[in-house]
Amino acid sequence: MLEQLTFAMEVFLNGLMAGVLYALVALGFVLIFKASGIFNYAQGVMALFSALTLVGIMDGQVPFSHIINATFGTDIHHFGWHVPALFAIFGTVVVMVLFAWIVQRYIFRHLVGQEPIILFMATIGLAYFLEGVGDLMWGSEIKKLDVGLPQGINDTIDQVTYEMFGYGFFIDNLDIVATVVAVLLVVGLVIFAQYSKEGRAMRAVADDHQAALSVGVSLNFIWIMVWSVAGFVALVAGIMWGTKSGVQFSLSLIALKALPVLMLGGFTSIPGAIVGGLIIGVGEKLFEFFMSSSALAGELFGFTISATENWFAYVLALIFLVFRPQGLFGEKIIERV
């Protein structure tokens, strides 16, 4: 029994770490939704594209090399040098800011005042377009991402927990780093949104576009800023997920796991994204542990269930939609018709 309890504690801690990674993706959704009311379906693809760009810059890969070689009959794939991780990250941030400007200048600038469903459909088109551009620029093969983050089991936690419980906890160093980065990122975003001039302008735009315009707030600047920050958050998420599982096109599907996180935390709450991510991460890990343990579930139900991580988050989100549609921290909006 003691061994099962200690294992459950390890599962709990790993669930917290997984929840932080989910929350990093959800943060990008929240930022854009707060400022423009747009549900950005492309956020997961932005994490993929930023990670692909980072790997490409670090490796000195020639963008669109496949098209160039096919068109001109050349065989050029790399410039012949490698870029340090810090400079590559800075270069990727510049690319994501440029992406934000292009999105605002050529897409959403022309959709001001349109119905939310139109804006949502635009982000779906943007997601598929960006995924295709990423494939053309950097190729579709799985890429290894290494920016110097520590990986592997944390020996200190393993040794301390072994001395305390007689059973070592296997906690990945990368998950610990992701937790620290996520906490710092959330604190920084909350301070920015609450106390900076640009943050107050962002909240004003979210409340009423026309009223914000009437007091001199530039919608173009705010939306470019928000998409740039969302791109930076996507880059952070892409680094963590890409380092953990490699940069591959299935990385864009992490956006689907962010949806239950948003439903739990609320679409307009930055802290809610973190809390929702932690609930989903811990819940799915503990539920999987409980239902797959014959000693626990078998005694109660007479049978065991496995692979519950694939659907637990969505069932929990469905329950929240029935009883608390705005989520734990979301704003309850009542409209008169």
Side-chain angles (χ1 to χ4, degrees):
M1 185 65 179
L2 179 60
E3 183 178 352
Q4 286 184 333
L5 289 176
T6 55
F7 185 61
M9 291 175 62
E10 179 186 346
V11 171
F12 176 83
L13 291 176
N14 278 287
L16 288 177
M17 307 299 180
V20 167
L21 293 177
Y22 296 151
L24 282 176
V25 182
L27 277 175
F29 285 99
V30 171
L31 287 170
I32 293 178
F33 190 83
K34 278 177 67 71
S36 59
I38 300 174
F39 179 80
N40 180 27
Y41 183 83
Q43 187 65 32
V45 183
M46 287 169 62
L48 166 66
F49 181 78
S50 61
L52 286 172
T53 303
L54 177 59
V55 174
I57 294 175
M58 289 179 64
D59 291 343
Q61 184 177 345
V62 178
F64 300 105
S65 59
H66 300 287
I67 298 178
I68 295 173
N69 293 332
T71 303
F72 299 102
T74 56
D75 190 23
I76 301 174
H77 295 281
H78 293 83
F79 289 110
W81 64 73
H82 291 271
V83 180
L86 187 61
F87 292 101
I89 291 174
F90 177 77
T92 307
V93 171
V94 173
V95 171
M96 297 310 292
V97 172
L98 178 62
F99 166 76
W101 180 82
I102 292 174
V103 166
Q104 171 56 27
R105 178 68 175 79
Y106 294 102
I107 300 178
F108 292 108
R109 179 182 178 183
H110 304 285
L111 296 177
V112 174
Q114 295 294 327
E115 294 293 327
I117 186 62
I118 301 298
L119 300 174
F120 174 65
M121 293 300 294
T123 65
I124 293 179
L126 178 63
Y128 285 104
F129 173 78
L130 191 61
E131 189 170 345
V133 169
D135 188 1
L136 291 175
M137 285 184 68
W138 309 114
S140 58
E141 66 276 6
I142 299 176
K143 299 173 175 61
K144 181 181 179 181
L145 177 58
D146 184 7
V147 296
L149 296 177
Q151 300 183 59
I153 303 301
N154 187 284
D155 294 331
T156 302
I157 295 178
D158 184 29
Q159 181 178 354
V160 170
T161 53
Y162 183 82
E163 294 175 354
M164 293 177 61
F165 306 106
Y167 180 85
F169 285 9
F170 296 98
I171 306 297
D172 197 316
N173 284 311
L174 180 62
D175 292 336
I176 298 175
V177 172
T179 302
V180 174
V181 169
V183 170
L184 294 176
L185 195 59
V186 170
V187 171
L189 289 173
V190 169
I191 293 175
F192 171 77
Q194 296 293 331
Y195 301 105
S196 70
K197 179 181 178 181
E198 290 77 12
R200 290 193 294 270
M202 182 183 74
R203 288 187 287 124
V205 170
D207 290 337
D208 192 320
H209 292 177
Q210 298 301 323
L213 279 172
S214 66
V215 295
V217 176
S218 171
L219 292 183
N220 287 331
F221 170 76
I222 293 299
W223 285 339
I224 291 174
M225 178 192 70
V226 169
W227 277 85
S228 298
V229 175
F232 175 75
V233 173
L235 172 60
V236 174
I239 290 174
M240 299 304 173
W241 280 99
T243 303
K244 190 179 184 69
S245 57
V247 180
Q248 49 191 313
F249 276 76
S250 61
L251 187 65
S252 62
L253 298 178
I254 61 175
L256 298 179
K257 211 50 172 293
L259 297 181
V261 174
L262 293 170
M263 294 174 188
L264 263 68
F267 282 82
T268 59
S269 174
I270 293 176
I274 295 295
V275 174
L278 295 179
I279 292 175
I280 292 295
V282 172
E284 68 179 14
K285 296 291 185 184
L286 286 179
F287 191 75
E288 171 79 12
F289 165 72
F290 176 78
M291 295 306 296
S292 62
S293 173
S294 58
L296 294 175
E299 294 179 1
L300 294 178
F301 306 110
F303 61 88
T304 60
I305 302 176
S306 60
T308 60
E309 287 189 40
N310 296 328
W311 52 264
F312 172 82
Y314 301 99
V315 173
L316 184 60
L318 180 62
I319 295 173
F320 265 77
L321 286 176
V322 172
F323 295 101
R324 190 176 175 82
Q326 72 271 25
L328 294 173
F329 298 92
E331 299 175 359
K332 187 174 183 180
I333 301 175
I334 301 176
E335 295 183 358
R336 297 183 181 275
V337 295

